[in-house]
Amino acid sequence: MHTLYRSEEIAQMDARALEQGATLESLTSAVGRQMARCVCQAHPHGRVWIFCGPGLNGTDGVALAAELAATHQVRLFCLGKGQERAERQFHLRRLKETRVEVYTIENFAHWGQGLTGSTPNLVVDALFGTGSNRAPEGMFAAAIETINTLGKEADVWAVDLPSGVFPDAGGVHQAVVQAHHTVTFMGYKPAHLLFPAAEKAGRVQVVYPFESDYRAQIPRGWFTQSDVRPITRARASHKGT
């Protein structure tokens, strides 16, 4: 059986890790490393564009850029207010001695920077994660449209969830990323299983960036065929036998 977590439970898991001595820098670094391993298995080299929102999901995207800097041509788009977060600055400092191109886009007036030139082989959606239900608007909606357009030729990967889905349900907003592959952390989320959101996630891969003794108050999970013992029975059997 696979574990299923709602968004508030992921927040509680992170809070418990922080109580036990972890930092947001170490947690986002671990996520970036795991995400990079998954990306490198499918794309050992190439041109990567990473679109990051203002929250922790976006910081995971910046951490990913730092991990891919030595092996890929990386272009990083940091959208919205939030670049001053300490954990974000930690990873941005890691990028200063690399070839990563960083575009900071605080408002829609600056939208469009860095979108010219050679197109990417891989596009990463790190706009919104489990902590957001808001409808993408303005430059975030424009970023989603750009990701989906690039996705006609490039491979689109989502960090934890495709942006524009409801994390704890199957609904989607009008602006929603169509990912080919989603790497999610510590367990599945309802949006990975409930439609139409699940259709936007593509192939879902679960990784475990750090160990956790957190247990949800209400355990949830889902069964696959591998969880069910095969039944061998005679062709003439019935419910009484």
Side-chain angles (χ1 to χ4, degrees):
M1 186 172 72
H2 300 284
T3 305
L4 186 69
Y5 290 110
R6 293 173 62 85
S7 54
E8 70 269 16
E9 293 166 344
I10 291 296
Q12 292 166 8
M13 184 186 299
D14 289 345
R16 181 163 180 79
L18 295 174
E19 290 171 359
Q20 294 177 332
T23 64
L24 286 175
E25 289 83 358
S26 66
L27 293 179
T28 51
S29 293
V31 167
R33 284 192 298 272
Q34 284 281 9
M35 184 81 188
R37 289 193 188 102
C38 296
V39 166
C40 288
Q41 287 175 357
H43 299 273
H45 305 284
R47 295 182 302 276
V48 184
W49 288 11
I50 305 175
F51 292 83
C52 300
L56 279 177
N57 192 257
T59 300
D60 292 338
V62 180
L64 170 63
E67 296 294 332
L68 295 178
T71 53
H72 294 70
Q73 299 175 40
V74 181
R75 191 172 294 184
L76 183 68
F77 301 89
C78 295
L79 279 65
K81 306 286 186 180
Q83 317 314 324
E84 71 283 354
R85 299 171 66 119
E87 62 277 7
R88 179 72 62 95
Q89 286 297 316
F90 171 81
H91 295 296
L92 287 172
R93 286 194 295 271
R94 296 172 61 196
L95 296 175
K96 287 187 176 179
E97 303 301 322
T98 71
R99 298 175 300 161
V100 174
E101 302 174 38
V102 180
Y103 297 88
T104 300
I105 306 169
E106 292 192 353
N107 55 62
F108 198 46
H110 299 139
W111 175 250
Q113 297 180 47
L115 296 181
T116 58
S118 56
T119 56
N121 311 108
L122 171 66
V123 182
V124 177
D125 162 30
L127 292 172
F128 300 116
T130 57
S132 178
N133 275 310
R134 77 183 196 184
E137 299 176 339
M139 61 182 171
F140 297 106
I144 288 174
E145 182 180 359
T146 298
I147 290 170
N148 289 337
T149 299
L150 292 169
K152 295 175 182 178
E153 300 292 337
D155 202 12
V156 176
W157 287 47
V159 178
D160 218 10
L161 289 169
S163 296
V165 305
F166 290 87
D168 297 329
V172 300
H173 293 288
Q174 184 173 357
V176 58
V177 167
Q178 177 61 68
H180 302 120
H181 193 113
T182 297
V183 178
T184 192
F185 311 107
M186 308 308 290
Y188 288 90
K189 316 305 185 299
H192 297 138
L193 306 175
L194 303 177
F195 287 84
E199 189 176 26
K200 303 300 180 181
R203 177 174 175 267
V204 180
Q205 180 178 1
V206 183
V207 297
Y208 301 87
F210 57 90
E211 295 183 3
S212 177
D213 60 2
Y214 172 81
R215 296 293 180 271
Q217 187 173 3
I218 302 175
R220 299 178 181 87
W222 65 287
F223 288 96
T224 65
Q225 188 170 351
S226 62
D227 296 305
V228 182
R229 185 174 64 187
I231 298 175
T232 302
R233 61 185 182 184
R235 291 181 64 190
S237 61
H238 54 80
K239 65 182 180 181
T241 59

